[in-house]
């Protein structure tokens, strides 16, 4: 790793925090079921990675899909951040107090009638993850540098409810990150790296 890449990696948390703080987040009107996900970053081998989960096949929604940890807001959650952190703790065992929250991305509507708020955070390296096998089949960790490669990204036009919508795809070692997760990921990468 070159010195400039190492310096860029060490500056990344503050760069992300500044990028998210310097913009006006776009919330969506309430109506659908409120939910939140965590975009979890961590340092491994001197490089930042993003943690994704592959959902089990027996879930009602998003079965078998690659997603960020997260889920539906509970009545006692004080907001999206608390929801994202609680769900991450339940799914992969990262304690809420071990996540440095850097900010939030724009809200998204999912086709399953959820209003999803993405929360971006960093957790410590070499973290002892504890996967909930009822919800998660496996963990997938992807280096940020891989996600920035143009050759692993594509857009397809899909029809839904009589309208054409762009659907994003990122590929990593035989896995495809697509749909809502890919849309959230694309916004995060665009904001952080000004692509």
């Amino acid at each position: 790793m070159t010195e400039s890449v190492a310096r860029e990696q060490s500056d990344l948390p503050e760069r992300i925090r500044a990028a998210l703080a310097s913009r006006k987040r776009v919330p969506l009107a309430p109506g659908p079921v409120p939910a939140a996900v965590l975009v979890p970053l961590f340092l491994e081998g001197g490089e930042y990675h993003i943690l994704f989960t592959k959902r089990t096949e027996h879930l009602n929604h998003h079965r078998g899909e690659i997603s960020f940890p997260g889920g539906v807001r509970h009545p006692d959650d004080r907001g999206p951040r608390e929801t994202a952190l609680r769900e991450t703790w339940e799914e992969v065992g990262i304690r809420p107090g071990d996540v440095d929250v850097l900010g939030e991305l724009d809200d998204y509507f999912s086709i399953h009638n959820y209003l999803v708020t993405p929360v971006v955070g960093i957790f410590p390296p070499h973290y002892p993850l504890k996967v909930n096998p009822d919800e998660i089949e496996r963990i997938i960790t992807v280096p940020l540098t891989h996600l920035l490669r143009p050759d692993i990204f594509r857009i397809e036009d899909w029809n839904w409810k009589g309208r054409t919508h762009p659907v994003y795809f990122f590929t990593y070692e035989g896995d495809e990150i697509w749909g809502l997760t890919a849309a959230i990921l694309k916004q995060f990468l665009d904001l952080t790296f000004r692509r």
Side-chain angles (χ1 to χ4, degrees), residues 24-35:
K24 183 167 175 50
R25 196 179 84 78
V26 180
L28 294 177
V33 177

Side-chain angles (χ1 to χ4, degrees), residues 8 25 40 92 108 124 129 135 162 169 192:
E8 181 179 279
R25 196 179 84 78
V92 296
Y108 288 83
L129 299 171
E135 295 187 48
F169 292 81
T192 304

Side-chain angles (χ1 to χ4, degrees), residues 35-38 53 55 67-72 83-85 87-88 91 135:
V37 297
L38 181 69
T53 61
R55 316 286 288 173
S67 64
F68 294 116
V72 174
T83 300
L85 295 176
E87 285 283 339
T88 299
E91 291 180 8
E135 295 187 48

Side-chain angles (χ1 to χ4, degrees), residues 48-60:
Y48 276 97
H49 290 62
I50 296 181
L51 180 148
F52 298 89
T53 61
K54 182 167 174 40
R55 316 286 288 173
T56 59
E57 291 292 340
H58 64 266
L59 296 172
N60 290 333

